[in-house]
Amino acid sequence: MKHLTVALAAAGLLSAAVAAPKPAAKKTRTAQEILAASPAGDWRGLDPENTLLMDLSSGQVIIELAPRFAPAHAANIRALARGGYWDGLAILRVQDNFVTQWGDPDGEDTAKARPLPAGASAKLPAEFSVPLDVVGKSARFTRLPDREGWAPRTGFAQGFPVAADPKTGKAWLAHCYGMVGAGRGDAVDSSNGAELYAVIGQAPRGLDLNITVVGRVLKGMELLSALPRGTAAMGFYDKPEQRTAIQRVRLLAEVPAAERPALQVLKTESATWTQLLDARRHRSGWFVHSPGYIDICSASVPTRPTPQAPR
Amino acid sequence: MKHLTVALAAAGLLSAAVAAPKPAAKKTRTAQEILAASPAGDWRGLDPENTLLMDLSSGQVIIELAPRFAPAHAANIRALARGGYWDGLAILRVQDNFVTQWGDPDGEDTAKARPLPAGASAKLPAEFSVPLDVVGKSARFTRLPDREGWAPRTGFAQGFPVAADPKTGKAWLAHCYGMVGAGRGDAVDSSNGAELYAVIGQAPRGLDLNITVVGRVLKGMELLSALPRGTAAMGFYDKPEQRTAIQRVRLLAEVPAAERPALQVLKTESATWTQLLDARRHRSGWFVHSPGYIDICSASVPTRPTPQAPR
């Protein structure tokens, strides 16, 4: 019985790390071939002021913030990270096909809750959307021709999946796999970025425009998605010992150069990204049916180890 | 810092087990309220000839087959289960945001591969779609009014998410979270159901019409989705000891009555299911924006423990 290797290689995430070679039946380039041929200028480094390194005992999760979409939350998260707010806190909740959430286990007990560090605010405005013109040429927005049901307009801007509605004049980050949001209570302005979640299942697009999305996981998703699901209501852990400890969360700007991850991110305004999306839209080889379609949650923006300069 | 309990309760899977109470701000009933009020006739039991029980050391995964959509594969899987084919085999591959796959680790080595039991075929026809009229009144197809980009027509039939195209006259099972398919190689007729996968991430709808979908996980998804990701190409495990052993897989019909799970499944042709989808489409309470939209992969069909008869 042959393993379905070819099948699922071709269908996997667009990632230089996981894609495997696939025979090109119709001269269509594979994702791996497109990535291998990508010019250096199609890649960018990590932004020190907008990258978080979250260290777990299992490894490091790298998160990119989206200050264009959530400027107040991004600024607060920077202050929280600089103040070491999450160091020693924990992953509190993992709900299957939904979210992994982390923060202060004692957050709801005012006597025991960890105080916010200097410069961090307890209260922020809701940042559920931005005016449509924020996602324009200046954000290097690339629109998808494919139509979907959740929003009249979709595309990518600065590495993030974006939805927009010209009628309301709003644009917003879409809740795709790996996106990171700021938990809130009943009040729309009750999030401040101290309690965060990452999407670990089918895109819960119904959350769009209801909560502030602050960024996405660039690397290390599997450290959040493969955790044991919590068995209490909504996937919270029953017992403190079931939680995963957060060793520390640092803003990349505060990390010594030698400890910074050598990682690059593909620019979503690049020709390479357009080609990758097209390769995913139009399938060949193993595929006998080509969907001719993708949606913004069908593909994650690739990362790669920073190429070493020739010596 | 309040946990985002209300937020994410309302957004969670439609499941009697995980949904939590949510204050109804606008007299909209919550999923939990709808389920609590559902008449007994809206639920059905497990079909002994189309239910698999897969025992792992971590618990039991219950899989429902879809014989209307993949009759030859369903029949072969029954024969494989009756013959104890998977007993002692393993989960071989877990690729993040994609699939968990199980079968014979030695499947590609003809000398070591486990022989198929009596009555099981090595080769089956591809069952990527069925004629559209198979999904009609007789299948109790309920069509969604919501439009999506992957297929011109979508809905649910007998508990499964279904897509269809009147132009081609085809209907097929959609690759939503928790759906189970039969791995294949390059030849379209190279699957026989011995190597199976379950979707553990964003719906890979690009696989639709390219591979035979055989059913879905009714219960125990978290036992497949929370496994460590494999680090070899495409999420295969590097080393045999990283695999998860399958203790046994039984067809429910072969299981003694006392060992059968007391589980019911909501009928997708029921008013309760329609109400649940509508509650998910039109949000209130914690939600300040209601999407007015869902797609077939937005919601999983609920299960519940079989109610005990009053003594």
Side-chain angles (χ1 to χ4, degrees), chain A residues 9-254:
Chain A
L13 269 182
L14 293 174
S15 157
V18 300
K22 184 171 81 76
K26 297 180 191 170
K27 302 253 180 210
T28 309
R29 288 197 303 167
T30 64
Q32 198 178 48
E33 288 164 349
I34 292 166
L35 287 168
S38 62
D42 282 3
W43 298 84
R44 60 183 168 88
L46 301 176
D47 177 356
E49 286 293 327
N50 288 301
T51 304
L52 300 178
L53 306 184
M54 176 160 71
D55 291 328
L56 309 175
S57 65
S58 54
Q60 189 172 72
V61 180
I62 306 179
I63 295 169
E64 179 170 42
L65 298 175
R68 180 174 288 261
F69 292 88
H73 280 75
N76 217 45
I77 288 169
R78 272 182 220 114
L80 289 164
R82 283 203 161 95
Y85 174 77
W86 288 286
D87 301 358
L89 296 184
I91 294 171
L92 311 171
R93 172 191 189 193
V94 185
Q95 182 171 347
D96 195 56
N97 192 20
F98 194 38
V99 296
T100 288
Q101 182 180 330
W102 60 96
D104 183 357
D106 298 317
E108 291 182 313
D109 180 339
T110 46
K112 293 164 72 184
R114 179 171 296 201
L116 298 178
S121 300
K123 199 172 160 75
L124 298 179
E127 298 180 299
F128 301 168
S129 67
V130 294
L132 191 55
D133 57 13
V134 169
V135 181
K137 277 190 183 170
S138 62
R140 300 183 295 279
F141 179 68
T142 52
R143 187 170 165 184
L144 281 193
D146 319 78
R147 296 294 299 273
E148 58 147 59
W150 293 100
R153 192 176 292 179
T154 60
F156 292 87
Q158 299 184 319
F160 295 99
V162 175
D165 186 348
K167 279 194 197 154
T168 61
K170 291 178 181 176
W172 60 93
L173 293 177
H175 272 87
C176 298
Y177 192 88
M179 294 297 285
V180 175
R184 73 161 174 95
D186 279 333
V188 292
D189 60 352
S190 55
S191 67
N192 74 342
E195 185 141 343
L196 297 171
Y197 63 89
V199 173
I200 61 162
Q202 174 70 15
R205 298 284 302 279
L207 287 180
D208 289 4
L209 292 170
N210 283 294
I211 198 160
T212 301
V213 180
V214 302
R216 72 178 176 102
V217 176
L218 281 183
K219 195 163 186 283
M221 251 318 280
E222 70 284 1
L223 306 177
L224 301 177
S225 60
L227 292 171
R229 278 46 179 159
T231 52
M234 293 175 300
F236 279 94
Y237 289 116
D238 273 321
K239 299 167 192 161
E241 62 267 28
Q242 294 170 325
R243 296 173 187 148
T244 298
I246 297 171
Q247 295 177 338
R248 60 181 174 178
V249 175
R250 293 175 295 172
L251 188 69
L252 186 61
E254 305 289 314

Side-chain angles (χ1 to χ4, degrees), chain B residues 11-194:
Chain B
L13 268 183
L14 293 175
S15 156
V18 300
K22 184 172 82 76
K26 295 180 190 170
K27 304 251 179 212
T28 311
R29 288 196 301 166
T30 64
Q32 198 178 48
E33 288 163 349
I34 292 166
L35 287 168
S38 63
D42 282 3
W43 298 83
R44 61 182 167 91
L46 302 176
D47 177 356
E49 285 294 326
N50 288 301
T51 304
L52 299 177
L53 305 184
M54 176 160 71
D55 292 328
L56 308 174
S57 65
S58 54
Q60 189 173 72
V61 180
I62 305 179
I63 294 168
E64 180 170 41
L65 299 174
R68 181 173 288 262
F69 292 88
H73 281 74
N76 217 43
I77 287 169
R78 272 183 222 115
L80 290 163
R82 283 205 162 94
Y85 174 76
W86 289 286
D87 302 357
L89 296 184
I91 294 171
L92 309 172
R93 172 193 189 195
V94 186
Q95 182 171 348
D96 197 56
N97 193 21
F98 195 38
V99 296
T100 288
Q101 181 180 331
W102 60 95
D104 183 359
D106 297 317
E108 290 181 317
D109 180 339
T110 45
K112 291 166 73 185
R114 179 171 296 201
L116 298 180
S121 300
K123 198 171 162 75
L124 299 178
E127 298 181 299
F128 300 169
S129 66
V130 294
L132 191 55
D133 58 12
V134 169
V135 181
K137 276 190 183 170
S138 63
R140 301 184 295 277
F141 180 68
T142 53
R143 187 169 165 184
L144 281 191
D146 319 78
R147 296 294 299 269
E148 59 147 58
W150 294 100
R153 190 176 293 180
T154 61
F156 292 87
Q158 301 185 316
F160 295 99
V162 174
D165 186 347
K167 279 192 198 153
T168 60
K170 291 178 180 176
W172 60 93
L173 293 176
H175 273 87
C176 298
Y177 191 88
M179 295 295 285
V180 175
R184 74 161 174 95
D186 280 332
V188 293
D189 59 353
S190 55
S191 67
N192 72 343

